[in-house]
Amino acid sequence: MTPGDLSRLEARIGHRFRDRALLIRALTHSSFAHEEDEGPDNEALEFLGDAALGFFIAEALLGRYPEMDEGGLSKLRSFLVSRANLAAAARRLGLAGHLRLGRTLRKGGSRRGESMLADGLEAVIAAVHLDGGADAARALVRRVFGRQLDRLDRPSVERKDHKTVLQEILQARGRPAPRYRVESTDGPPHDPTFHVRLTVDGDLVVSGKGGTKKEAEQRAARRALRLLGRGGAGR
């Protein structure tokens, strides 16, 4: 990767790095780091970028929709930070041509291409944050997602129930559909309370309760969306 390549990417990002090693690390997939034995990969930066992105998106949404409740904000944020949406944003930045991938991935391609793009974008956001501070990272998020925030079809997103949104996000992340199971029912027959457990491939476990099975499932899905919005449940 030449200095000219990095300069062009910096221009699209809107940030000139004082420490370009951070940008190079953000672009380094674990396959490249392992095969070439050349410095650290971007996984730790991805972790930080995921958290920073979730915060900046939540901050922007709250500024735009101060009257919206937590459930509505969670839906909008989950849509914006989904794997598919992040990958599309990474393509708009031209990030694909700059990722440092191992030989196997370069030769044979990868089914994880969308995930690698999304992870790379999160890592770049973290690198900008470390190099230029929170304001620089916030500016990058606005640069990348500002137009989408302006054109966000809020009614369309809000009309989707929590179970539908959760399934779409998990599908975009390459994960199996959630499973719902009624664990118990208590209360009188005319006014029961259902307790539902939600699992995703045995990994994500949350619960919900409600006066009907459907209501309990929706509440469990809403709790899962909150967790995913905080970067939980893996990818």
Side-chain angles (χ1 to χ4, degrees):
M1 188 178 302
T2 68
D5 291 333
L6 292 177
S7 294
R8 285 187 288 274
L9 180 57
E10 285 175 329
R12 291 194 295 273
I13 292 172
H15 176 77
R16 184 170 294 279
F17 280 80
R18 291 174 293 187
D19 181 5
R20 275 190 169 175
L22 282 169
L23 177 57
I24 292 171
R25 179 179 179 182
L27 300 171
T28 303
H29 188 262
S30 58
S31 62
F32 183 92
H34 293 158
E35 289 181 13
E36 304 296 332
D37 193 25
E38 186 178 328
D41 61 39
N42 64 4
E43 290 184 356
L45 289 179
E46 175 204 337
F47 169 77
L48 174 60
D50 177 58
L53 174 63
F55 173 79
F56 292 135
I57 290 293
E59 180 182 61
L61 288 171
L62 185 60
R64 288 171 182 270
Y65 309 115
E67 79 292 348
M68 188 180 290
D69 64 15
E70 182 183 2
L73 291 169
S74 294
K75 280 186 181 182
L76 296 179
R77 180 178 60 179
S78 296
F79 166 74
L80 288 166
V81 302
S82 68
R83 294 287 90 185
N85 199 52
L86 293 187
R91 290 189 187 96
R92 291 196 297 271
L93 278 179
L95 210 59
H98 296 276
L99 291 178
R100 306 168 83 201
L101 306 176
R103 290 185 297 275
T104 301
L105 292 183
R106 291 199 308 270
K107 290 179 180 178
S110 173
R111 296 178 182 177
R112 297 177 56 213
E114 189 168 80
S115 180
M116 288 188 296
L117 279 170
D119 293 345
L121 177 57
E122 289 174 339
V124 167
I125 291 169
V128 170
H129 188 287
L130 292 174
D131 189 74
D135 287 343
R138 182 181 287 107
L140 171 57
V141 171
R142 287 176 179 168
R143 185 185 186 97
V144 174
F145 296 97
R147 182 174 296 180
Q148 192 171 34
L149 281 163
D150 289 339
R151 299 178 178 179
L152 191 62
D153 186 357
R154 174 180 165 183
S156 176
V157 176
E158 286 185 307
R159 278 196 298 270
K160 295 182 179 181
D161 60 66
H162 293 100
K163 288 179 65 176
T164 300
V165 174
L166 177 61
Q167 183 157 334
E168 289 176 349
I169 290 171
L170 291 171
Q171 183 179 6
R173 296 186 178 190
R175 303 200 63 188
R179 292 177 177 270
Y180 301 87
R181 185 177 70 184
V182 176
E183 293 219 296
S184 63
T185 306
D186 54 37
H190 67 278
D191 187 22
T193 297
F194 292 83
H195 298 264
V196 167
R197 178 177 179 176
L198 184 161
T199 62
V200 180
D201 198 24
D203 187 15
L204 171 64
V205 180
V206 296
S207 60
K209 63 180 181 179
T212 65
K213 178 182 175 184
K214 181 178 180 180
E215 182 182 10
E217 290 176 346
Q218 287 290 344
R219 289 182 175 176
R222 177 175 174 174
R223 292 187 65 189
L225 285 171
R226 292 177 185 170
L227 179 60
L228 289 168
R230 292 196 295 268
R235 291 186 177 86

